[in-house]
């Protein structure tokens, strides 16, 4: 169990008392229409074109708007753009900017402002970590209040990307001066930021909503959002239970207890687009053998990871991408992938010469995290049950991806099983992960590259069919073994006074409809 879950009762009492005193002095008095949210981490930056971390994007997504929005069924809807059209060859797009959109400083957000934001997002000097996701844009232009964008080739996921929080548009006054100012068009305006303590946002009185996931068409009902940094999970929950905060990000164990307590509400990000999976250092023997990779997959009791490690707040996923994304078919994926079958795993391993006397020895290379830690311990036990000796090598998240980028280039050494996750609003994140060189050098070969490139150029049923080919390739060859989905992190809990909070795509926060009762 992770240390915070396994904490003893005495330690809990001490921390609860500490949290109560801390909360009273640090949070202070909030007005009735203010909403206080406790999170474990602060944002890195409020410049959405220079951050990739979710804790930052969850805040910037409240200050800035996207050109388009996405409904629960994956359909694309207006956002800052009231309408759009594309050329027959899919290489150019025209977005008509909605009339009357005001930036938080009173300036007008029009097509020229949109182009300025786009140019900055694409400028190499911006160092935008999300630049590859914008696709093959070659140029942009303004015609009246229409933003025109040209691409070098057809890029079907483009519209979905423009609905995500990595693609928000900033007002030009944000970057007129040397120091970035968070001036947007979103439902909340930046008010104050005390680093590593709190961020305060105020409702935008001029706001006109276009997001189909939101019911409120105008100004948010609450006046102020206060995001408070409380690193310790026990302290956050103490603050929630005492009423010092209205919402808090719970630990998994706390979330499980709160689910069973009618006095609280727990929110799981069903639209997160999150999928965890195991992959392999397939350049290192014996993981170059598909049957060995299949044997590992057959040894993993993935339902137990969802039920035990993630306290039943995650579900078994059978596809390489999350279930709610375009063309994802859990039934087809289950047929293509491996199922839990320890006896079958033993037979495949025995056929390759691995026995209890001569076991396969591997590393389980993972990153540390609540739920993840216990999942990896169960994985280690599952592997031991079929005769595979797995040494867990756990890394901090910040170091994990650079480490596996190195591991994935090796052709000798200890074979490793990698446990990682990904989220997005479109299954095109398969391209980001697996098209050579791929994220952290996960890329495989020319055959898969071609499938991934082709799906970007297709739409509708043709694209769905091509994506299914990608899924089938990854699953039948056991390059990817899906684990759990969705919402394996980013849970939220609230007091019963909070109504109509929602979590949108990519664990974005939607506070537009929120009201607070007495």
């Amino acid at each position: 169990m992770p240390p915070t879950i396994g904490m003893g009762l005495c330690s809990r009492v001490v921390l609860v008392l500490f949290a109560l005193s801390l909360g009273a002095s640090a949070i202070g008095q909030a007005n009735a229409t203010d909403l206080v949210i406790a999170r474990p981490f602060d944002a890195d930056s409020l410049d959405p074109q220079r951050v990739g971390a979710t804790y930052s994007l969850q805040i910037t997504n409240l200050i800035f708007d996207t050109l388009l929005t996405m409904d629960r069924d994956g359909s694309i809807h207006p956002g800052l753009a009231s309408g759009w059209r594309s050329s027959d060859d899919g290489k150019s797009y025209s977005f008509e900017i909605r009339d009357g959109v005001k930036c938080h400083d009173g300036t007008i957000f029009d097509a020229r402002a949109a182009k300025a934001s786009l140019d900055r997002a694409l400028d190499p000097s911006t160092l935008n970590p999300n630049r590859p996701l914008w696709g093959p844009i070659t140029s942009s232009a303004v015609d009246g209040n229409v933003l025109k964008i040209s691409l070098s080739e057809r890029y079907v996921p483009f519209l979905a990307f423009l609905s995500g929080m990595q693609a928000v548009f900033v007002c030009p006054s944000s970057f007129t001066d040397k120091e970035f100012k968070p001036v947007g068009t979103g439902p909340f305006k930046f008010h104050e930021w005390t680093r590593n303590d709190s961020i305060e946002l105020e409702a935008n009185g001029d706001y006109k909503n276009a997001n189909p996931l939101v019911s409120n068409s105008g100004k948010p009902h609450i006046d102020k959002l206060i995001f408070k940094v409380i690193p310790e999970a026990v302290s956050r929950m103490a603050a929630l239970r005492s009423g010092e905060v209205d919402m808090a990000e719970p630990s998994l164990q706390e979330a499980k207890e709160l689910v069973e307590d009618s006095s609280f509400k727990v929110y799981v990000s069903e639209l997160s687009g999150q999928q965890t999976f195991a992959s392999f250092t397939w350049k290192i023997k014996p993981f170059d053998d598909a049957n060995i990779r299949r044997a590992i997959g057959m040894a993993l009791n993935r339902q137990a990871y969802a039920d035990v490690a993630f306290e039943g707040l995650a579900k078994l996923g059978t596809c390489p991408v999350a279930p709610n994304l375009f063309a994802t078919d859990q039934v087809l994926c289950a047929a293509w992938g491996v199922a839990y079958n320890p006896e079958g795993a033993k037979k495949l391993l025995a056929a390759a010469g691995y026995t209890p006397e001569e076991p396969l020895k591997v590393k389980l290379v993972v990153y540390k995290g609540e739920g993840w830690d216990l999942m990896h311990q169960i994985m280690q036990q599952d592997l031991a049950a079929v005769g595979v000796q797995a040494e867990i090598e756990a890394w901090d998240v910040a170091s994990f991806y650079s480490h596996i980028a190195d591991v994935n280039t090796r052709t000798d050494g200890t074979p490793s099983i990698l446990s990682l996750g990904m989220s997005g609003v479109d299954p095109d994140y398969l391209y980001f992960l697996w098209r050579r060189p791929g994220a952290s050098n996960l890329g495989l070969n020319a055959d898969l590259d071609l499938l991934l490139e082709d799906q970007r150029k297709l739409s509708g049923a043709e694209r769905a069919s091509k994506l299914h080919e990608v899924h089938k390739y990854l699953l039948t060859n056991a390059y990817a073994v899906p684990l759990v989905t969705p919402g394996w992190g980013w849970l939220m809990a609230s007091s019963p006074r909070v109504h109509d909070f929602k979590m949108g795509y990519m664990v974005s926060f939607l506070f537009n409809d929120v009201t607070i009762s007495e």
Side-chain angles (χ1 to χ4, degrees):
M1 297 283 278
T4 52
I5 293 178
M7 189 173 291
L9 178 61
C10 292
S11 299
R12 279 175 173 274
V13 171
V14 171
L15 283 173
V16 167
L17 292 173
F18 172 73
L20 289 173
S21 63
L22 174 68
S25 61
I27 296 173
Q29 297 297 316
N31 296 325
T33 53
D34 296 349
L35 191 75
V36 184
I37 306 105
R39 302 196 305 165
F41 301 106
D42 199 5
D44 297 325
S45 167
L46 297 184
D47 182 347
Q49 295 174 342
R50 286 184 171 169
V51 296
T54 302
Y55 278 104
S56 299
L57 294 173
Q58 285 178 321
I59 302 297
T60 57
N61 195 57
L62 298 168
I63 301 173
F64 306 96
D65 275 330
T66 50
L67 212 53
L68 303 173
T69 58
M70 181 178 285
D71 205 347
R72 182 170 289 275
D73 61 1
S75 58
I76 302 297
H77 290 252
L80 287 169
S82 57
W84 64 93
R85 61 183 181 276
S86 63
S87 61
D88 291 341
D89 63 5
K91 294 183 180 180
S92 62
Y93 288 84
S94 297
F95 299 94
E96 185 171 359
I97 304 303
R98 201 171 73 228
D99 289 334
V101 178
K102 286 185 179 179
C103 297
H104 295 158
D105 62 353
T107 56
I108 299 298
F109 186 91
D110 54 14
R112 291 187 180 280
K115 175 175 167 46
S117 178
L118 175 66
D119 290 347
R120 182 175 184 267
L122 303 180
D123 187 339
S125 68
T126 303
L127 303 178
N128 185 352
N130 302 307
R131 172 61 185 90
L133 297 172
W134 286 87
I137 295 175
T138 55
S139 65
S140 63
V142 173
D143 182 5
N145 205 25
V146 175
L147 172 65
K148 296 186 173 183
I149 299 176
S150 298
L151 293 78
S152 61
E153 61 184 3
R154 190 179 180 91
Y155 176 41
V156 171
F158 187 47
L159 296 182
F161 168 71
L162 290 177
S163 73
M165 59 184 183
Q166 295 155 312
V168 296
F169 277 64
V170 304
C171 292
S173 49
S174 292
F175 52 90
T176 302
D177 299 329
K178 185 175 181 181
E179 183 177 352
F180 182 84
K181 299 174 185 175
V183 180
T185 60
F188 290 91
K189 300 186 289 186
F190 173 75
H191 176 62
E192 188 175 49
W193 184 12
T194 303
R195 283 188 179 270
N196 298 316
D197 182 76
S198 63
I199 297 173
E200 294 188 11
L201 308 179
E202 295 177 340
N204 175 7
D206 294 325
Y207 193 67
K208 304 295 182 187
N209 175 67
N211 189 336
L213 298 178
V214 169
S215 300
N216 178 10
S217 61
K219 172 185 173 293
H221 300 305
I222 53 177
D223 292 332
K224 184 182 287 184
L225 290 175
I226 304 171
F227 291 92
K228 187 71 186 171
V229 179
I230 302 180
E232 301 83 6
V234 175
S235 300
R236 289 196 302 277
M237 289 306 98
L240 178 64
R241 291 180 185 278
S242 70
E244 296 293 340
V245 304
D246 302 293
M247 303 184 70
E249 189 174 317
S251 68
L252 279 168
Q253 186 180 28
E254 291 277 9
K256 181 69 173 177
E257 294 172 3
L258 293 176
V259 164
E260 297 167 353
D261 185 341
S262 60
S263 300
F264 294 93
K265 300 175 183 177
V266 175
Y267 309 86
V268 178
S269 185
E270 296 289 347
L271 297 177
S272 68
Q274 293 173 320
Q275 177 66 48
T276 67
F277 60 95
S279 66
F280 304 88
T281 54
W282 57 271
K283 299 184 184 76
I284 301 175
K285 291 181 180 297
F287 285 157
D288 60 332
D289 183 341
N291 276 336
I292 298 299
R293 298 193 298 268
R294 291 188 188 101
I296 297 296
M298 293 161 72
L300 303 181
N301 185 0
R302 293 171 285 164
Q303 189 64 55
Y305 310 157
D307 294 341
V308 180
F310 288 95
E311 301 281 4
L313 297 171
K315 301 172 184 175
L316 174 65
T318 62
C319 289
V321 298
N324 58 301
L325 299 184
F326 175 74
T328 303
D329 190 322
Q330 294 287 306
V331 175
L332 279 178
C333 288
W336 293 327
V338 293
Y340 179 50
N341 181 1
E343 292 306 314
K346 289 178 184 177
K347 290 178 181 177
L348 288 176
L349 290 166
Y354 295 104
T355 65
E357 293 75 25
E358 295 290 338
L360 172 61
K361 297 179 180 179
V362 303
K363 283 186 179 179
L364 189 52
V365 182
V366 303
Y367 64 79
K368 302 170 186 174
E370 197 177 25
W372 295 78
D373 297 340
L374 182 54
M375 178 173 76
H376 298 139
Q377 291 171 20
I378 302 174
M379 289 172 74
Q380 186 182 41
Q381 295 167 7
D382 288 342
L383 293 169
V386 299
V388 175
Q389 293 183 9
E391 173 192 353
I392 295 178
E393 184 179 282
W395 292 72
D396 292 328
V397 176
S399 305
F400 173 74
Y401 286 101
S402 60
H403 175 68
I404 65 170
D406 174 58
V407 167
N408 277 325
T409 63
R410 299 177 188 171
T411 55
D412 58 15
T414 305
S416 299
I417 304 166
L418 314 175
S419 169
L420 59 164
M422 184 66 192
S423 65
V425 296
D426 187 276
D428 189 58
Y429 66 63
L430 290 167
Y431 183 101
F432 175 78
L433 286 170
W434 297 102
R435 200 274 185 191
R436 290 180 299 174
S440 299
N441 293 315
L442 279 174
L444 293 178
N445 54 47
D447 291 340
L448 184 61
D449 286 355
L450 185 59
L451 293 175
L452 290 167
E453 289 164 4
D454 285 349
Q455 62 84 23
R456 283 187 152 195
K457 303 169 186 173
L458 301 172
S459 60
E462 289 181 319
R463 185 179 182 224
S465 177
K466 191 62 67 176
L467 282 166
H468 289 166
E469 289 185 52
V470 174
H471 293 182
K472 185 176 182 179
Y473 188 91
L474 290 170
L475 295 171
T476 57
N477 291 292
Y479 285 114
V481 178
L483 299 174
V484 298
T485 185
W488 33 264
W490 313 107
L491 302 168
M492 188 58 77
S494 80
S495 75
R497 299 194 314 125
V498 177
H499 307 283
D500 297 322
F501 169 73
K502 304 182 185 84
M503 296 182 80
Y505 283 96
M506 296 184 69
V507 296
S508 58
F509 293 151
L510 299 173
F511 289 104
N512 308 51
D513 294 330
V514 170
T515 58
I516 307 173
S517 61
E518 295 299 326

